[in-house]
Coordinates of all heavy atoms in Angstrom, one line a residue:
M21 N 122.4 106.2 85.4 CA 123.5 105.6 86.3 C 123.3 104.3 86.7 O 124.1 103.4 86.8 CB 123.7 106.6 87.5 CG 124.3 107.9 87.0 SD 124.7 109.1 88.2 CE 124.4 108.4 89.8
P30 N 124.4 100.5 74.9 CA 123.6 100.6 73.8 C 123.8 99.7 72.7 O 125.0 99.3 72.6 CB 123.9 102.1 73.4 CG 124.6 102.7 74.4 CD 125.2 101.7 75.2
Y32 N 123.8 99.7 69.5 CA 124.7 100.2 68.5 C 125.8 101.1 68.8 O 126.5 101.8 68.1 CB 123.8 101.0 67.4 CG 122.8 100.2 66.6 CD1 121.6 100.2 66.8 CD2 123.3 99.2 65.7 CE1 120.6 99.3 66.2 CE2 122.4 98.4 65.1 CZ 121.1 98.5 65.4 OH 120.2 97.6 64.6
G36 N 128.7 97.3 71.0 CA 127.3 96.8 71.3 C 126.9 95.7 70.2 O 127.6 95.5 69.2
A37 N 126.1 94.8 70.6 CA 125.7 93.6 69.9 C 125.3 94.1 68.4 O 125.6 93.3 67.4 CB 124.6 92.8 70.5
V40 N 128.4 94.5 66.5 CA 129.1 93.2 66.3 C 128.3 92.4 65.3 O 129.2 91.7 64.4 CB 129.2 92.4 67.6 CG1 129.7 91.0 67.5 CG2 130.0 93.2 68.6
A44 N 127.8 90.4 59.7 CA 128.6 89.4 60.2 C 128.1 87.9 60.4 O 128.8 87.1 60.8 CB 129.2 89.9 61.6
L59 N 115.2 84.1 55.8 CA 116.6 84.7 55.4 C 116.5 86.1 55.0 O 117.3 86.9 55.3 CB 117.3 83.7 54.6 CG 118.8 84.0 54.3 CD1 119.6 84.1 55.6 CD2 119.3 83.1 53.3
A61 N 114.2 88.4 55.5 CA 113.9 89.4 56.6 C 114.9 89.5 57.5 O 115.3 90.6 58.0 CB 112.5 88.8 57.4
P69 N 126.2 89.3 54.9 CA 127.6 89.2 55.3 C 128.7 89.1 54.3 O 128.4 88.4 53.4 CB 127.7 87.9 56.2 CG 126.7 87.1 55.5 CD 125.5 87.9 55.2
A70 N 129.7 90.0 54.3 CA 130.8 90.0 53.3 C 131.8 89.2 53.9 O 132.3 88.3 53.1 CB 131.2 91.4 53.1
P72 N 131.7 86.9 57.0 CA 131.1 86.5 58.3 C 131.9 86.1 59.4 O 132.9 85.3 59.1 CB 130.1 85.4 57.8 CG 130.8 84.9 56.5 CD 131.5 85.9 56.0
F74 N 130.1 84.9 62.3 CA 129.3 84.0 63.0 C 128.4 83.2 61.9 O 128.2 83.7 60.9 CB 128.2 84.8 63.9 CG 129.0 85.8 64.6 CD1 128.9 87.2 64.4 CD2 129.7 85.4 65.9 CE1 129.6 88.1 65.2 CE2 130.3 86.3 66.6 CZ 130.3 87.6 66.3
G87 N 89.6 77.7 62.8 CA 88.8 78.3 63.7 C 87.5 78.9 63.0 O 87.6 79.2 61.7
V90 N 82.2 77.4 59.5 CA 80.9 77.6 58.8 C 80.5 76.3 58.3 O 81.1 75.7 57.6 CB 81.0 78.8 57.8 CG1 79.7 79.0 57.1 CG2 81.4 80.0 58.5
A115 N 132.7 78.0 68.8 CA 132.0 78.1 70.1 C 130.6 78.5 69.9 O 130.3 79.4 69.0 CB 132.9 79.1 70.9
S129 N 92.3 84.8 56.8 CA 90.8 84.5 56.6 C 90.8 83.6 55.3 O 91.5 83.8 54.2 CB 90.0 85.8 56.5 OG 88.8 85.6 56.0
A140 N 96.2 84.8 50.8 CA 96.2 85.1 52.3 C 97.1 84.2 53.1 O 97.8 84.7 53.9 CB 94.7 85.1 52.7
A144 N 100.3 85.4 55.1 CA 100.5 85.1 56.6 C 101.7 84.4 56.8 O 102.5 84.8 57.9 CB 99.3 84.1 57.1
E145 N 102.2 83.6 56.0 CA 103.5 82.8 56.1 C 104.7 83.9 56.1 O 105.6 83.9 56.9 CB 103.7 81.8 55.1 CG 105.2 81.2 55.2 CD 105.3 80.2 54.1 OE1 105.3 80.6 52.9 OE2 105.4 78.9 54.4
R150 N 108.7 87.2 59.1 CA 109.3 88.5 59.4 C 109.2 88.6 61.0 O 110.3 89.1 61.7 CB 108.5 89.7 58.8 CG 108.7 89.7 57.4 CD 108.0 90.8 56.8 NE 108.4 91.1 55.4 CZ 107.6 91.8 54.5 NH1 106.4 92.4 55.0 NH2 108.0 91.9 53.2
L152 N 109.5 86.1 63.1 CA 110.5 85.2 63.7 C 111.8 85.9 63.5 O 112.8 85.9 64.4 CB 110.5 83.8 63.0 CG 109.2 83.0 63.3 CD1 109.3 81.8 62.5 CD2 109.1 82.7 64.8
S155 N 112.2 88.7 66.1 CA 112.4 88.1 67.4 C 113.7 87.5 67.7 O 114.3 87.7 68.7 CB 111.3 87.0 67.7 OG 110.1 87.5 67.7
P164 N 124.0 87.7 76.1 CA 125.3 88.0 76.7 C 126.5 87.2 76.2 O 126.1 86.2 75.7 CB 125.1 87.8 78.3 CG 124.0 86.6 78.2 CD 123.1 86.9 77.0
L166 N 128.5 88.0 73.6 CA 129.1 88.1 72.2 C 130.4 88.9 72.3 O 130.5 89.8 72.9 CB 128.1 88.9 71.4 CG 126.7 88.2 71.1 CD1 125.9 89.1 70.2 CD2 127.0 87.1 70.1
P167 N 131.4 88.4 71.4 CA 132.7 89.1 71.4 C 132.5 90.5 70.8 O 131.6 90.9 70.1 CB 133.4 88.4 70.3 CG 132.6 87.1 70.0 CD 131.3 87.3 70.4
A168 N 133.4 91.4 71.2 CA 133.3 92.9 70.8 C 133.7 92.9 69.4 O 134.3 92.0 68.8 CB 134.3 93.6 71.7

Side-chain angles (χ1 to χ4, degrees):
M21 287 180 5
Y32 293 106
V40 172
L59 185 59
F74 310 103
V90 173
S129 175
E145 180 183 65
R150 287 180 177 164
L152 292 175
S155 295
L166 286 179

